[in-house]
Amino acid sequence: MRQGTKIITLDNGYHLWTNTQGEGDIHLLALHGGPGGNHEYWEDAAKQLRKQGLNVQVHMYDQLGSWYSDSPDFSDPKVSDAILNYDYFLDEVEEVRQKLGIDKFYLIGQSWGGALVQMYAEKYGEHLKGAIVSSMVDNITDYTDHLAEIREKTFTPEQLAFMKECEAKNDYDNEEYQALVDILNKNFIDRKQPSTLDHLISTMNTDIYGAFQGDNEFVITGKLGEWNFTDKLKNIKVPTLVTFGEHESMPVATGKRMAEMIPHAQFVSTPEGGHHHMVDNPNVYYDHLATFIREVEAGTFKG
């Protein structure tokens, strides 16, 4: 398959930016988080896997509304109702797979992308060799409980009270509040500083992010507040790797439990990694990923 960028036209008429890196007969489709984020932490995935001695074609794309792809007018209620829901983004993954012409592939998703991996593996698992859930819970309550714990450990009672006051008033632009959020980001999201993911401008589509998440990674006011896939984990039949950062915003205990509930799964953790542990500690992250793919290819994976 040709490397580089390919613009695909969806059946709904919108265009998505896709990019393929690497060589070989093994295909990995990478899903970004947010939602409303972009592909960038997967840009060197093929290179990192090659450093681990594994040739993989890595396919990545920006989901509809994200960075290089078309951005619909979400102020139109008909548009937002049609797109800002789980089913749209799940079926978009399948349409991208079809239009890229890949099958019997590996699917990896980070954060929100990890929710899509769980849903895709249940609905479209016949197309997968394996699934990788990177830093995403199956039940949002575990996440919100963990957020409360890390905020209590990180801040003084006064600072925490101030944050809650700002959130109650919807005063998220408050400079002092944002400074406290930045502390959380540097401890639990991008632990390796300066982060290679920093931009001169924000690339997040806040219409999408706000609809599902909220203002930042540490509050949930959108549709993800109802996320609960626990009862469906048993329906994921493909070999699955669940990978979390050692010090991240998602609770490691939940990742371990998920690996126990998915019939054929393993859990791994990246030392000194935050939520973006593929960037914080790529050598370990991609060693885990390469080992998983090798074992599945060889039929020796034990989950």
Side-chain angles (χ1 to χ4, degrees):
M1 183 176 292
R2 181 175 63 87
Q3 295 185 13
T5 294
K6 178 181 180 181
I7 305 299
I8 63 174
T9 303
L10 299 174
D11 292 345
N12 59 20
Y14 291 111
H15 302 89
L16 295 188
W17 176 95
T18 78
N19 187 275
T20 296
Q21 298 291 327
E23 300 175 344
D25 297 328
I26 300 171
H27 295 271
L28 174 69
L29 179 60
L31 308 178
H32 65 72
N38 67 55
H39 68 280
E40 63 184 335
Y41 40 61
W42 300 126
E43 288 178 345
D44 68 339
K47 177 182 177 181
Q48 294 289 350
L49 288 167
R50 191 163 60 249
K51 285 171 59 178
Q52 300 293 337
L54 191 65
N55 288 324
V56 177
Q57 281 210 322
V58 178
H59 312 276
M60 65 202 91
Y61 71 98
D62 285 345
Q63 297 159 24
L64 187 60
S66 291
W67 201 220
Y68 292 145
S69 292
D70 279 355
S71 187
D73 180 8
F74 291 116
S75 67
D76 183 337
K78 291 182 179 179
V79 173
S80 61
D81 288 347
I83 295 173
L84 297 181
N85 59 77
Y86 291 104
D87 287 341
Y88 169 76
F89 285 103
L90 168 60
D91 291 338
E92 183 184 80
V93 179
E94 171 59 9
E95 188 172 354
V96 168
R97 177 199 72 79
Q98 292 177 17
K99 286 183 163 53
L100 289 180
I102 58 175
D103 204 358
K104 302 305 178 185
F105 67 107
Y106 295 86
L107 182 66
I108 187 170
Q110 168 69 15
S111 196
W112 154 255
L116 294 176
V117 169
Q118 293 173 57
M119 291 185 287
Y120 187 94
E122 188 206 29
K123 184 175 181 179
Y124 297 109
E126 68 271 18
H127 297 295
L128 294 177
K129 284 185 175 180
I132 305 96
V133 178
S134 183
S135 294
M136 185 60 190
V137 296
D138 59 328
N139 187 326
I140 207 66
T141 300
D142 288 7
Y143 176 54
T144 53
D145 288 348
H146 185 60
L147 291 182
E149 292 176 6
I150 63 177
R151 296 210 315 182
E152 288 179 1
K153 292 178 181 178
T154 303
F155 299 122
T156 66
E158 292 76 19
Q159 289 173 320
L160 187 56
F162 174 77
M163 292 192 79
K164 292 180 178 179
E165 181 182 352
C166 288
E167 290 159 4
K169 295 179 178 178
N170 205 31
D171 186 19
Y172 293 106
D173 292 332
N174 183 290
E175 289 186 7
E176 186 177 347
Y177 176 84
Q178 288 298 325
L180 295 174
V181 171
D182 191 50
I183 291 173
L184 292 171
N185 284 333
K186 289 178 178 177
N187 278 279
F188 301 101
I189 305 298
D190 296 303
R191 288 177 59 84
K192 186 178 180 180
Q193 293 291 323
S195 174
T196 57
L197 304 179
D198 285 344
H199 281 270
L200 295 175
I201 61 172
S202 174
T203 62
M204 181 69 70
N205 186 314
T206 54
D207 289 331
I208 305 175
Y209 188 77
F212 283 90
Q213 173 79 17
D215 177 82
N216 61 72
E217 288 294 285
F218 304 95
V219 294
I220 296 182
T221 57
K223 296 178 182 180
L224 278 170
E226 301 176 353
W227 170 250
N228 188 342
F229 204 73
T230 305
D231 290 344
K232 297 181 180 181
L233 291 180
K234 64 181 182 296
N235 300 329
I236 298 176
K237 305 302 184 183
V238 299
T240 303
L241 184 70
V242 181
T243 174
F244 281 43
E246 182 184 19
H247 304 287
E248 73 151 276
S249 53
M250 297 285 176
V252 169
T254 295
K256 293 179 179 178
R257 174 182 57 73
M258 291 169 64
E260 293 175 353
M261 296 184 71
I262 297 171
H264 198 32
Q266 286 182 4
F267 174 83
V268 292
S269 179
T270 303
E272 288 305 314
H275 194 50
H276 294 149
H277 47 302
M278 76 286 286
V279 174
D280 290 331
N281 192 346
N283 288 338
V284 173
Y285 184 91
Y286 284 100
D287 174 61
H288 288 153
L289 181 53
T291 299
F292 170 71
I293 293 174
R294 279 197 194 92
E295 290 180 353
V296 175
E297 290 291 308
T300 60
F301 177 73
K302 297 179 181 179

